[in-house]
Amino acid sequence: MNESLMSRALNYSKYHALPPLLMLLFFLLLWEGLTAGASATLPAPSQVLSETWELIIDPFYDNGGTDVGMGWQILASLERVAYGFALAVIFGVSLGVLIGQSTLAMRALDPIFQVLRTVPPLAWLPLSLAGFQDSQPSALFVIFITAIWPIIINTSVGIRNIPEDYRNVARVLNLRGVEYFSKIMLPAAAPYIFSGLRIGVGLSWLAIVAAEMLIGGVGIGFFIWDAWNSSKISEIVLALVYVGVIGFILDRSVAWVGNRITRGTSAS
Amino acid sequence: MKEKFLQIEQVDMIFGQGAKAAHVLDQINLTVNQGEFISIIGHSGCGKSTILNVVAGLLDASSGFVLLDDKEIKGPGPERSVVFQNHSLLPWLTVYENVALAVNKAFKGKMSAQQRHDWILRSLDMVHMSHALDRLPSQISGGMKQRVGIARALSLEPKVLLLDEPFGALDALTRAHLQDEVMRIQGELNSTVMMITHDVDEAVLLSDRIVMMTNGPKATIGEILSVNLPKPRNRIEMADNPEYNRCRQAVLSFLYEKQAKVEL
């Protein structure tokens, strides 16, 4: 029993964990080799590690102002994403339901949304700064406006694709209004909604890093910009690693929640 | 037992308008007694499912009306529950929850939570699905799904149970099994049942009367055949029963001689 568990774990790591780890090692070695010469403009991995070691081992120091640990920087960015994304979920799902339910609403709103969704996130920033006169709500607005389009579009597609059978079941059972919405419509559209949320959270994370570079304050985006201005290239590299890993975790978390809620029925 | 329990009066069904209008049903008149098992049989496209949908209230007749227990039906409702062809269980709910959705909606206020729980279990027990309460529809076989679909429909205590080709998507062995179950349950509950089918043996085995539809467009009722056999019926004994074979013969000759369908 224990042995088979052990061998299964070994087998798993052999086929799933080993290849990416080897590849990573290969890339690190390649990078080390390419940046070995004295004329290299970028730091080698070993140099990055030694120069940022202080930051890595103490992620939660606080020297006041923007001089805080990487942990705080990331939490600040995550907080912005959380607020902006939560707003996008509320409005996006509501609008998506409206468009999915009503042909008139779809005809009226869809063309507008199709144009607006192509506007790059950062292009909204000056406008929102002008409107809000403050950097914090502007950053939230950029997150909101970035994440909302895939949520609206996926929700409306999900609502429109609810099988006729489910609608008939609801009609025979006399499920109407709120009951229909919560017991049939949302669960039936949930797989679509969650793929919208997943795209949305990914885009939010892309947008926040860029937006923070411009608005300043505590946050991983401004940390990168600040590091560039003080020529601490190693810190930029470290920040990029963090940004990538956090983005990956965000994406997987939303997928995991979606899977739990739809009970893995998205396939059927 | 009430006579003329379900009355379909002068029902016409026309889809679309103008030149593209399709006249599907023409002057359908049918009276069903309480406790009767009626099958509607006909070639595909003859509008037999449309009749069922009109009785269910999922479609509104273009003209004519349907009375159930002397009341005109308007829209769908739990007293005319439907077993859909492809079971139509909600995939995110377990077997128990699928039936609970129906029971809790229909009997909230009339039964206590405990009574409703017992009623859900009884309904599932009737179709022998008590062993799979916590399974999701994706984890059970097609025949089991249809059993749950039947349990859900029965749990509503409908005045008339509507079966829309309920066994069409099942393999022959599972189908025979479920036909026997439906026959047994109908015998126990004495339900009024209207079943759509294209299977001659199924119609003769289960029905008190078989309604044979002419081919569309403008389909109407061609003949009505009474099956004068005591119930419950045993499918093996039926094989050389003269009345069974007479009925089978009559339906076959209606479908393949009088209403032979020219397949294009």
Side-chain angles (χ1 to χ4, degrees):
Chain A
M1 183 70 197
N2 252 340
E3 257 173 52
S4 83
L5 208 68
M6 277 283 285
S7 74
R8 265 170 60 191
L10 269 176
N11 245 330
Y12 183 85
S13 45
K14 194 158 82 190
Y15 291 108
H16 292 269
L18 205 56
L21 283 176
L22 284 177
M23 210 61 214
L24 187 65
L25 193 68
F26 170 75
F27 280 130
L28 285 174
L29 287 174
L30 185 70
W31 175 11
E32 187 80 46
L34 287 174
T35 50
S39 61
T41 50
L42 294 175
S46 53
Q47 194 189 341
V48 168
L49 203 64
S50 63
E51 282 181 8
T52 60
W53 189 245
E54 300 273 298
L55 286 172
I56 295 172
I57 56 168
D58 188 12
F60 290 104
Y61 71 85
D62 187 349
N63 293 340
T66 57
D67 188 14
V68 298
M70 297 291 282
W72 294 121
Q73 306 277 6
I74 284 171
L75 282 177
S77 300
L78 279 175
E79 193 186 343
R80 293 195 181 99
V81 167
Y83 285 124
F85 184 66
L87 284 175
V89 171
I90 295 166
F91 285 92
V93 171
S94 313
L95 279 168
V97 168
L98 179 72
I99 296 180
Q101 276 289 81
S102 150
T103 315
L104 184 67
M106 186 188 77
R107 286 201 193 119
L109 291 170
D110 195 57
I112 301 173
F113 289 172
Q114 294 296 343
V115 171
L116 287 182
R117 79 185 175 92
T118 64
V119 175
L122 276 193
W124 291 98
L125 188 61
L127 192 64
S128 59
L129 280 169
F132 291 112
Q133 299 284 323
D134 188 11
S135 61
Q136 188 66 11
S138 305
L140 296 190
F141 178 77
V142 169
I143 301 297
F144 170 80
I145 206 75
T146 308
I148 198 169
W149 309 117
I151 299 177
I152 293 177
I153 291 165
N154 275 281
T155 304
S156 67
V157 170
I159 299 286
R160 236 172 292 149
N161 282 346
I162 295 176
E164 194 61 31
D165 289 336
Y166 300 170
R167 293 182 195 273
N168 283 339
V169 168
R171 291 178 68 196
V172 169
L173 296 179
N174 269 333
L175 294 173
R176 294 206 196 98
V178 181
E179 275 182 311
Y180 175 68
F181 179 73
S182 63
K183 292 188 172 151
I184 306 286
M185 202 197 268
L186 275 191
Y192 288 88
I193 295 176
F194 272 98
S195 66
L197 296 186
R198 216 174 141 182
I199 300 170
V201 84
L203 292 179
S204 302
W205 192 240
L206 295 184
I208 191 62
V209 173
E212 281 174 348
M213 286 186 169
L214 297 176
I215 61 168
V218 176
I220 193 70
F222 185 66
F223 177 88
I224 293 173
W225 193 243
D226 201 34
W228 160 244
N229 282 332
S230 30
S231 303
K232 295 173 179 161
I233 310 298
S234 292
E235 292 187 6
I236 298 180
V237 174
L238 178 68
L240 292 193
V241 172
Y242 278 131
V243 168
V245 171
I246 300 290
F248 176 78
I249 293 172
L250 279 179
D251 178 68
R252 286 304 159 101
S253 316
V254 174
W256 183 80
V257 171
N259 227 325
R260 288 301 297 267
I261 288 184
T262 59
R263 289 178 174 179
T265 52
S266 41
S268 64
Chain B
M1 287 291 113
K2 200 167 183 282
E3 299 220 330
K4 296 190 181 172
F5 190 58
L6 175 70
Q7 289 169 273
I8 303 174
E9 299 283 348
Q10 306 283 343
V11 164
D12 267 44
M13 194 73 204
I14 300 163
F15 290 111
Q17 281 178 337
K20 275 188 270 176
H23 198 149
V24 177
L25 294 177
D26 184 43
Q27 298 286 306
I28 302 290
N29 287 293
L30 180 66
T31 305
V32 182
N33 297 330
Q34 199 170 9
E36 199 173 17
F37 197 121
I38 291 275
S39 288
I40 300 180
I41 196 165
H43 291 288
S44 56
C46 75
K48 51 191 193 293
S49 278
T50 308
I51 298 186
L52 184 121
N53 282 330
V54 169
V55 175
L58 294 169
L59 288 174
D60 289 325
S62 305
S63 65
F65 56 90
V66 180
L67 298 178
L68 177 63
D69 208 1
D70 298 325
K71 282 188 285 290
E72 183 170 355
I73 64 148
K74 284 211 172 10
E79 88 277 4
R80 282 162 284 119
S81 58
V82 185
V83 176
F84 297 94
Q85 174 169 13
N86 50 353
H87 67 78
S88 298
L89 298 182
L90 303 174
W92 57 88
L93 296 181
T94 62
V95 164
Y96 177 89
E97 288 166 338
N98 263 288
V99 179
L101 180 70
V103 170
N104 288 334
K105 172 66 189 169
F107 299 115
K108 195 151 205 154
K110 293 172 203 151
M111 290 186 193
S112 69
Q114 182 62 41
Q115 281 173 316
R116 277 182 267 137
H117 173 72
D118 293 342
W119 183 244
I120 296 161
L121 293 184
R122 243 195 74 191
S123 304
L124 281 165
D125 195 39
M126 200 145 51
V127 295
H128 302 309
M129 282 303 293
S130 304
H131 61 283
L133 297 178
D134 297 324
R135 302 275 199 88
L136 290 170
S138 56
Q139 297 165 334
I140 58 178
S141 70
M144 287 172 156
K145 284 180 206 162
Q146 199 53 287
R147 283 170 187 269
V148 179
I150 293 169
R152 179 174 63 184
L154 286 173
S155 72
L156 294 167
E157 291 203 295
K159 288 180 175 171
V160 52
L161 180 64
L162 303 170
L163 307 175
D164 189 1
E165 298 191 25
F167 314 124
L170 304 176
D171 66 87
L173 288 174
T174 311
R175 191 185 309 160
H177 223 77
L178 273 180
Q179 286 164 352
D180 291 342
E181 295 277 20
V182 165
M183 193 157 34
R184 174 182 63 76
I185 292 168
Q186 197 257 342
E188 281 170 20
L189 304 178
N190 220 338
S191 345
T192 311
V193 183
M194 179 182 268
M195 177 175 77
I196 305 301
T197 183
H198 49 229
D199 181 329
V200 176
D201 283 296
E202 178 171 289
V204 179
L205 185 70
L206 293 175
S207 315
D208 297 306
R209 281 191 296 154
I210 302 171
V211 174
M212 292 173 262
M213 301 282 296
T214 63
N215 286 334
K218 287 188 111 181
T220 190
I221 293 174
E223 286 175 31
I224 298 182
L225 176 79
S226 289
V227 183
N228 297 313
L229 285 167
K231 293 206 273 187
R233 296 165 188 162
N234 179 315
R235 68 174 65 244
I236 298 163
E237 287 166 16
M238 285 302 137
D240 44 38
N241 180 304
E243 168 69 4
Y244 182 87
N245 284 316
R246 177 191 72 84
C247 294
R248 205 171 168 272
Q249 199 61 41
V251 178
L252 285 172
S253 92
F254 178 89
L255 289 177
Y256 297 109
E257 285 167 23
K258 297 175 201 163
Q259 293 294 327
K261 185 157 172 108
V262 186
E263 291 290 348
L264 297 175

